Amino acid sequence: MVSAITNGVKVSVLTHFQAEYSNPFQGNFVFSYHIKIHNGSDFTVKLLRRHWYIHDANGLVREVEGEGVVGQQPTLEPGQSYEYTSGCNLNTSLGKMAGTYQMERIFDGKLFNVVIPDFTMIAPFRMN
């Protein structure tokens, strides 16, 4: 698991190779990632947007951005956490993702970006 803290908001990521949905012979590798966002700040915050960079081992970079995460824009009081699981498919057995969440501090409407740390997606057979 990798983690990063920005302005008191901690993002932790755990990945898993989805062998049952992957087809290595056709260059299709599916990964899931579980994210926990914990508000360790003194302010209530709302997640507004996500911005991802997805890299595969061939050097292909995809950029994804949009509102919320998995159809939600969670509001977190101080001390609260929000967790979700999503997925990504790659053309290679190795890749990485990173990005930011745009958050709003409810108290004064201030917008700020929270770092989503770089995390690696690797098929288990690549680890030998």
Side-chain angles (χ1 to χ4, degrees):
M1 179 178 290
V2 296
S3 298
I5 299 174
T6 310
N7 292 332
V9 178
K10 181 178 182 181
V11 178
S12 301
V13 186
L14 182 64
T15 62
H16 181 71
F17 177 63
Q18 299 291 319
E20 61 275 19
Y21 299 109
S22 298
N23 188 335
F25 298 108
Q26 293 183 349
N28 185 34
F29 300 87
V30 179
F31 297 87
S32 64
Y33 52 90
H34 183 81
I35 294 190
K36 180 178 181 179
I37 303 166
H38 177 77
N39 183 8
S41 78
D42 294 331
F43 302 97
T44 301
V45 298
K46 181 176 183 176
L47 190 155
L48 301 176
R49 302 185 62 77
R50 70 192 182 287
H51 189 175
W52 289 105
Y53 292 96
I54 306 165
H55 303 257
D56 73 14
N58 291 330
L60 177 68
V61 179
R62 291 181 286 166
E63 191 173 353
V64 177
E65 77 179 301
E67 290 187 359
V69 291
V70 294
Q72 303 293 313
Q73 290 182 310
T75 299
L76 302 172
E77 300 285 337
Q80 285 187 325
S81 296
Y82 177 80
E83 298 184 46
Y84 72 95
T85 300
S86 191
C88 175
N89 65 309
L90 298 175
N91 294 324
T92 61
S93 59
L94 173 66
K96 72 175 185 175
M97 290 177 65
T100 57
Y101 294 126
Q102 183 186 58
M103 303 284 238
E104 176 185 15
R105 194 166 64 189
I106 300 300
F107 171 72
D108 58 4
K110 180 182 178 187
L111 300 179
F112 62 98
N113 287 329
V114 171
V115 172
I116 305 166
D118 283 12
F119 59 92
T120 303
M121 297 171 288
I122 184 166
F125 61 83
R126 290 286 307 256
M127 298 174 75
N128 292 329

